[in-house]
Amino acid sequence: ATICKAEHGSREKKSSSIRDLSILCLTRECNGNYIMPPVGPLLDHFSDCHCLQTLYLTLPKPCWRESQTLEALTNLLTNKPELLRVGLSFSGLDDREGKVLEYLSGILAQLALGSVNIFDFGGLLNVDEARLLKLIQGMEKLGFDVRRNRLHAAIRFQRSERRE
């Protein structure tokens, strides 16, 4: 099941005027197989939301392993001049190989140049500390404060108030 909540900012074309988008995608087990909706097309549906200010995305582990999901998320986050806040939950995804951190580094560098003030992510397990430290230091150089909760594998990057 997928739960999607979208709040519109105006009365224009509904899909392009969405300001706040929250997507919670759940898997269901059937005869030992996990059933989940294709998330990529759902994210693509909202890629023309030029008024998007907040995005919260909670996906099960299998969704994050699909390249279509990552491509659709990149498209959704690209060219959003009003985007202020992004939250991603990785639901206990193992990132021993560092692919998710590598993806996040690219996305965060892009978002940091825009209007995003807060970027939260959590639920990423077995993260390479050296890679994570490099990401944190890069965000600090871009003017973001970092808060980390090791217990919940969560990190918040928040644009510093002391910007020059």
Side-chain angles (χ1 to χ4, degrees):
T2 301
I3 301 167
C4 181
K5 180 183 177 200
E7 294 183 17
H8 298 279
S10 69
R11 300 229 180 261
E12 326 170 352
K13 182 183 167 196
K14 294 270 190 216
S15 64
S16 65
S17 64
I18 292 172
R19 289 181 311 174
D20 304 298
L21 179 62
S22 298
I23 298 174
L24 170 62
C25 181
L26 307 171
T27 57
R28 184 171 57 108
E29 189 175 348
C30 181
N31 298 327
N33 295 317
Y34 287 99
I35 299 171
M36 63 181 183
V39 176
L42 177 63
L43 295 176
D44 281 337
H45 175 76
F46 294 105
S47 65
D48 69 341
C49 299
H50 301 293
C51 300
L52 193 63
Q53 293 178 0
T54 58
L55 171 68
Y56 294 105
L57 190 58
T58 300
L59 302 178
K61 291 181 264 190
C63 290
W64 291 112
R65 292 186 186 108
E66 294 180 1
S67 62
Q68 185 183 17
T69 300
L70 297 179
E71 289 171 19
L73 179 59
T74 302
N75 290 339
L76 180 61
L77 294 174
T78 304
N79 296 321
K80 300 295 184 278
E82 297 181 31
L83 188 62
L84 299 172
R85 188 173 189 157
V86 176
L88 303 177
S89 174
F90 292 98
S91 306
L93 180 65
D94 188 309
D95 194 37
R96 206 172 311 247
E97 296 175 8
K99 291 180 181 177
V100 177
L101 267 186
E102 184 178 317
Y103 171 78
L104 286 175
S105 294
I107 285 292
L108 284 168
Q110 207 175 27
L111 292 175
L113 298 175
S115 58
V116 171
N117 290 323
I118 297 174
F119 188 95
D120 295 310
F121 72 89
L124 204 52
L125 303 179
N126 298 314
V127 174
D128 180 293
E129 280 296 317
R131 285 183 182 160
L132 183 58
L133 186 58
K134 184 177 177 183
L135 173 62
I136 289 171
Q137 290 169 341
M139 291 302 287
E140 287 173 336
K141 285 180 185 174
L142 291 171
F144 284 77
D145 294 325
V146 180
R147 280 193 261 156
R148 184 173 181 190
N149 182 326
R150 291 178 191 270
L151 179 64
H152 299 290
I155 292 187
R156 167 172 281 186
F157 296 109
Q158 185 166 359
R159 197 173 297 276
S160 176
E161 294 296 323
R162 51 184 192 274
R163 271 175 94 179
E164 291 143 23

